[in-house]
């Protein structure tokens, strides 16, 4: 098969590219490199440096099909930033996706996989795993922008027959077990790499945002999914949308608190993690844990790297071997 991956130079996108290549498919990557890295794209993979806000340039790449599917990862993705710049997030994420969907419709693309988010469920305070049927109540403009795109895909299916899989995943973490790709954000905002860097002495003491949540230890609880398991779910989802669109939550179904992440990094690294309490961040719910029953039943997907220490171990190994990230 032949697939176009937008945002394929980013964290999740680059791991999905590897999963597609490992399955024997041909992959083409489109990325504007605003947050991704050219070095994250494997050698031999065709690459187009294009901004999806540029409709003409986007349409020219999509016209280079035929494509057996398009996988869309390119987006602004920081909850905190979206609270400070809501209109930028709403505008850019919506328009880039709309441009891509329009180009796909015009070129007769039949399948699209959309990187959605658990931030759609940011509003309610839940103490049980979240199913796909849970009320959508975004707690941030970032989450709202993703829901707007899901609605675009709903109508693209209803009117044009563009089948889609909206994959609402929780906290992607870890790194390729073979060391081919890892996590490198500038600035880094994800807890596991920040905690690892604090343990390695590469950054000041970790700031723990909120220690007074209604959880077992007062810190936020999140469902961490290894990025390789997440990539596998994307490949499996492609086989589910020949005749219908689907929506899946993707997570391990196991919640770990921020303090438990700190303890995991200390166990795996053998180092103490310096940290200090900080005020809550606006838009952060106390608990987000996925119910991935539908994905498991329909695709046979099961996480292979579900243990938190295993996730941390792959992330630690990549950061130790890439002290400057993708920069040589």
């Amino acid at each position: 098969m032949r697939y176009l991956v937008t945002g394929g130079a980013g964290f999740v996108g680059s791991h999905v590219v590897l999963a597609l290549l490992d399955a024997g498919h041909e992959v083409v990557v489109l990325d504007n490199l605003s947050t991704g890295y050219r070095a994250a794209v494997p050698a031999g993979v065709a690459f187009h440096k294009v901004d999806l806000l540029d409709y003409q340039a986007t349409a020219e790449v999509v016209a280079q099909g035929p494509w057996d599917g398009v996988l869309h990862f390119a987006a602004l993705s920081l909850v905190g930033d979206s609270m400070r710049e809501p209109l930028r997030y709403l505008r850019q994420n919506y328009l880039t996706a709309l441009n891509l969907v329009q180009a796909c419709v015009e070129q007769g693309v039949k399948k699209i996989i959309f990187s959605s988010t658990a931030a759609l469920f940011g509003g309610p305070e839940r103490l049980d795993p979240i199913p796909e049927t849970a009320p959508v109540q975004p707690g941030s403009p970032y989450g709202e922008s993703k829901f707007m795109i899901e609605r675009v895909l709903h109508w693209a299916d209803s009117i044009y027959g563009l089948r889609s899989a909206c994959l609402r995943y929780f906290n992607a973490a870890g790194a390729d077990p073979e060391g081919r790709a890892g996590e490198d954000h500038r600035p880094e905002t994800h807890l596991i790499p920040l905690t690892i860097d604090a343990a390695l002495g590469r950054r000041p003491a970790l700031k723990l945002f909120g220690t007074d949540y209604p959880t077992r230890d007062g810190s936020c609880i999140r469902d961490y999914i290894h990025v390789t398991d997440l990539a596998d779910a994307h490949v499996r989802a492609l086989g589910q949308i020949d005749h219908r669109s689907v929506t899946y939550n993707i997570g391990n179904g196991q919640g770990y608190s921020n303090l438990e992440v700190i303890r995991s990094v200390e166990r795996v690294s053998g180092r103490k993690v310096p940290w200090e309490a900080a005020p809550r961040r606006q838009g952060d719910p106390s608990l987000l844990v996925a119910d991935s029953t539908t994905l498991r039943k329909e695709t046979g997907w099961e996480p292979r790297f579900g243990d938190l220490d295993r996730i941390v171990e792959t992330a630690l190994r990549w950061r130790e071997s890439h002290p400057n990230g993708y920069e040589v």
Side-chain angles (χ1 to χ4, degrees):
M1 301 293 184
R2 186 168 185 260
Y3 295 106
L4 175 65
V5 180
T6 73
F11 175 43
V12 176
S14 63
H15 285 79
V16 172
V17 168
L18 290 174
L20 291 168
L21 292 173
D22 289 346
H25 303 304
E26 180 185 351
V27 181
V28 176
V29 169
L30 181 156
D31 201 301
N32 68 1
L33 299 182
S34 60
T35 57
Y37 300 90
R38 183 66 180 86
V41 180
V45 171
F47 175 79
H48 298 273
K49 186 178 180 182
V50 168
D51 193 321
L52 290 172
L53 285 172
D54 183 338
Y55 177 75
Q56 186 59 41
T58 300
E60 288 175 0
V61 174
V62 177
Q64 295 178 24
W67 309 103
D68 293 289
V70 171
L71 298 94
H72 179 46
F73 299 93
L76 300 174
S77 61
L78 302 180
V79 170
D81 273 359
S82 79
M83 299 298 285
R84 291 185 289 271
E85 298 184 89
L87 299 182
R88 175 176 174 242
Y89 266 69
L90 291 167
R91 179 186 302 111
Q92 184 159 326
N93 285 353
Y94 178 74
L95 290 179
T96 52
L98 191 64
N99 281 345
L100 179 64
V101 171
Q102 181 175 337
C104 287
V105 168
E106 291 180 349
Q107 293 299 322
V109 176
K110 299 301 182 184
K111 295 183 182 182
I112 185 168
I113 302 289
F114 173 50
S115 168
S116 193
T117 176
L120 269 64
F121 310 114
E125 295 294 326
R126 303 176 59 92
L127 296 178
D128 54 318
I130 300 172
E132 291 86 354
T133 55
V136 173
Q137 295 178 288
S140 66
Y142 165 66
E144 188 73 41
S145 72
K146 292 287 189 172
F147 186 54
M148 291 164 61
I149 298 166
E150 288 198 8
R151 297 306 298 166
V152 169
L153 291 171
H154 164 77
W155 290 111
D157 180 359
S158 297
I159 297 173
Y160 301 109
L162 175 60
R163 306 297 185 228
S164 62
C166 294
L167 305 185
R168 298 168 171 174
Y169 40 88
F170 286 57
N171 286 53
D176 175 54
E178 297 179 28
R180 297 172 296 176
E183 188 167 9
D184 184 8
H185 297 112
R186 311 289 175 88
E188 186 57 73
T189 62
H190 292 176
L191 180 61
I192 287 178
L194 288 175
T195 306
I196 289 171
D197 283 353
L200 296 176
R202 294 178 180 171
R203 59 171 291 107
L206 178 75
K207 291 187 182 297
L208 201 60
F209 295 106
T211 56
D212 59 347
Y213 284 97
T215 60
R216 54 182 173 264
D217 60 19
S219 63
C220 288
I221 292 176
R222 295 291 182 266
D223 187 335
Y224 292 93
I225 176 171
H226 195 284
V227 66
T228 298
D229 287 331
L230 186 58
D232 177 48
H234 285 75
V235 176
R236 290 172 181 265
L238 283 165
Q240 299 299 309
I241 56 175
D242 289 327
H243 306 292
R244 66 184 180 112
S245 292
V246 298
T247 298
Y248 295 132
N249 285 358
I250 309 179
N252 285 317
Q254 172 68 49
Y256 294 99
S257 74
N258 290 350
L259 287 170
E260 288 168 341
V261 169
I262 290 174
R263 290 194 284 272
S264 175
V265 170
E266 289 180 338
R267 283 194 302 272
V268 174
S269 69
R271 298 168 178 261
K272 192 70 176 174
V273 175
W275 67 274
E276 58 189 38
R280 294 186 185 189
R281 293 184 302 189
Q282 190 178 13
D284 271 350
S286 61
L287 183 147
L288 284 174
V289 177
D291 179 349
S292 299
T293 302
T294 305
L295 174 71
R296 294 171 192 250
K297 284 183 176 179
E298 294 190 359
T299 72
W301 176 85
E302 288 291 339
R304 293 181 297 147
F305 306 98
D307 180 72
L308 180 60
D309 283 4
R310 181 70 172 114
I311 294 172
V312 167
E313 186 271 329
T314 59
L316 173 65
R317 188 163 7 110
W318 196 84
R319 295 187 84 77
E320 285 182 325
S321 61
H322 297 78
N324 299 314
Y326 281 106
E327 294 182 359
V328 178

